[in-house]
Amino acid sequence: MTQPAIQISQIRKRFGELEALKGVSLSVEQGEFFALLGPNGAGKTTLISILAGLTRADSGEARIMGHDVVHDYRAARHALGVVPQELVFDPFFTVRETLRIQSGYYGVKSNDGWIDEILHNLDLTNKADTNMRKLSGGMKRRVLVAQALVHKPPVIVLDEPTAGVDVELRQTLWAFVRKLNEQGHTIVLTTHYLEEAEALCSRVAMLKQGEVVLLDRTDKLLAQHAEKKVALKLVPDSLPLALQAMKCGEQRGAHVLALQDFAQLDGVLATLRESGVRIEDMEVLTPDLEDVFVKVMHGEGRAVA
Amino acid sequence: MTPGFRALFYKEILRFYKVAFQTVLAPVITALLYLLIFSHVLEEHVQVYPGVSYTAFLVPGLVMMSVLQNAFANSSSSLIQSKVTGSIIFVLMPPIAYSEFFLAYVAAAAVRGVAVGGGVFVVTLLFALPPLREPLWLIVFALLGSGLLGALGVVAGIWAEKFDQLAAFQNFLIMPFTFLSGVFYSLHSLPPFWQGVSRFNPFFYMIDGFRYGFFGVSDVSPWLSLTIVLVCFFALSLFTLQLLKTGYKLRH
Ligand SMILES: Nc1ncnc2c1ncn2[C@@H]1O[C@H](COP(=O)(O)OP(=O)(O)O)[C@@H](O)[C@H]1O
Ligand SMILES: [Mg+2]
């Protein structure tokens, strides 16, 4: 059996009174594209900081590619690249200098070939000799991504890389990250755009107030947690009494019904026929991660760790 | 040399080199102004060592003061800047050992200190030429002094959370210690009480030992100065390494 790319067990972290992480355990397999979701303050950044060695856990342990992040920090950090949430930069240097220096920290010599490739993939080639101070926010964000990749880490963690970033960069970035994942890199990302997580990630963990409340494959989550919904436009526009209990909303003049499963649809259609109501239009609403997220964050999720 | 040390050292050198106008040229000019003013006012009235003009006496002290202040400024301002902007994470996330971290910041601080000191020495040559009787002592004290202040700068940079806290460190600790260290006078010209106080000031030994390198004469034996400076250097280094090892104020 191969080592998990990331293994976190029973990590606890307090900031004074606040218990930011309450015994978090999870593991990410090599080659996975994994999403770490949760509202602001859930503890995502704290968890990532512990992996990166920026923060020390009060108890528990974390390993990157089998290397303990405290006791075997050199190997662990060689294996990890983190794109931080905050837009930080060193104002003294140009983009290329920044990347060369960063390569040096990891003991990578004459890295210009790979640096050029990263710059190209992130559309930064013509900014290579520009000072960091002169870059726009989006450009600085790209450099942060580049910095995390200089040493070709097998495990890449991106902490809200697309927050406040334009559509173009999001697409450039995801195309590149997807490519890295196809080449075998393990990717973990936190994002506020749930459709991104849904489109990219095969597995999802949801963190709420320092606890993992949900951890599963994305497709399974969508199948289990999100209700199946149909939007029905009726003529005449009146929903039979027997179906009122299933109604969960309206959408452009259509009644939205929540179903346990699609077999229930038979009964719905029969009831409508009996009541003499005709269906003018019907749309099956596909569940998305947002539904799951909202459901879980409003109390339905239990700690699974 | 380990890769982490080499890259961090290079980064620190490049950082001050890029703003050499502020980090090297400006302190050289400051020292030159001190020399012009003090020698103009005191040249006729003060002779510290027999046969040595006051201006010549002043040169080594000014050179050493510049070495010390700039070594301190380099490590402390680099650290506080990267802490305040958050870019400190770029040096905390890579596999750099705390000992490499320490050595890189101290060595780069020493390079800046010695560079400024060398600049001050060169421009003061226009005004006075002190003899170079014991150059080896001079080199030893310049290196040890800049290393000591570089390490002190690391401590200050780690401890301070804002620029004004660092400024306080500089104004209430570094400045009084350097000015009360015999840059502008000999210990023997002080009243006994202040002579006694000065003997507890490590900066006094750094400057006195450094001056011995020029004149072959000093207020106390250079061996005593060397011993004291070495003890201070090792004690401070151990303390700083301990701070870095525990991640004090750097890793939460
Ligand atoms: N250095 C710190 N000192 C005190 N509290 C902190 C610190 N870092 C994070 N926190 C707190 O820990 C909680 C989790 O924060 P964070 O990990 O940033 O959440 P997320 O990234 O999920 O938004 C928040 O309540 C935050 O205020
Ligand atoms: Mg965060």
Side-chain angles (χ1 to χ4, degrees), chain B residues 203-219:
Chain B
F203 288 64
F204 160 71
Y205 298 96
M206 290 187 255
I207 298 216
D208 198 56
F210 186 71
R211 196 179 275 133
Y212 179 82
F214 283 88
F215 301 116
V217 210
S218 51
D219 288 350

Side-chain angles (χ1 to χ4, degrees), chain A residues 15 18 20 38-47 85 159-160, chain B residues 252:
Chain A
F15 293 111
L18 178 87
N40 270 330
K44 306 180 294 295
T45 299
T46 305
L47 192 60
Q85 180 178 352
D159 197 356
E160 297 194 30
Chain B
H252 302 285

Side-chain angles (χ1 to χ4, degrees), chain A residues 54 84 86-93 98 101-102 105 132 144 147, chain B residues 8 11-12 15 77-94 101 105 250:
Chain A
L54 294 172
E86 299 294 330
L87 206 57
V88 293
F89 62 98
D90 199 326
F92 288 92
F93 307 115
T98 301
I101 290 168
Q102 199 72 24
Y105 293 156
M132 288 301 300
L144 282 178
Q147 273 178 277
Chain B
L8 193 50
K11 190 270 281 187
E12 282 297 292
R15 190 193 77 92
S77 61
S78 173
L79 280 168
I80 190 83
Q81 265 167 8
S82 49
K83 271 169 57 176
V84 168
T85 62
S87 63
I88 187 92
I89 61 168
F90 299 136
V91 298
L92 294 178
M93 289 200 295
F101 189 96
Y105 276 93
L250 289 181

Side-chain angles (χ1 to χ4, degrees), chain A residues 202-221:
Chain A
S202 51
R203 226 154 51 95
V204 170
M206 289 193 190
L207 213 57
K208 179 183 171 184
Q209 292 169 6
E211 284 177 287
V212 177
V213 287
L214 203 119
L215 176 66
D216 213 335
R217 294 190 52 82
T218 315
D219 49 10
K220 259 183 154 171
L221 281 180

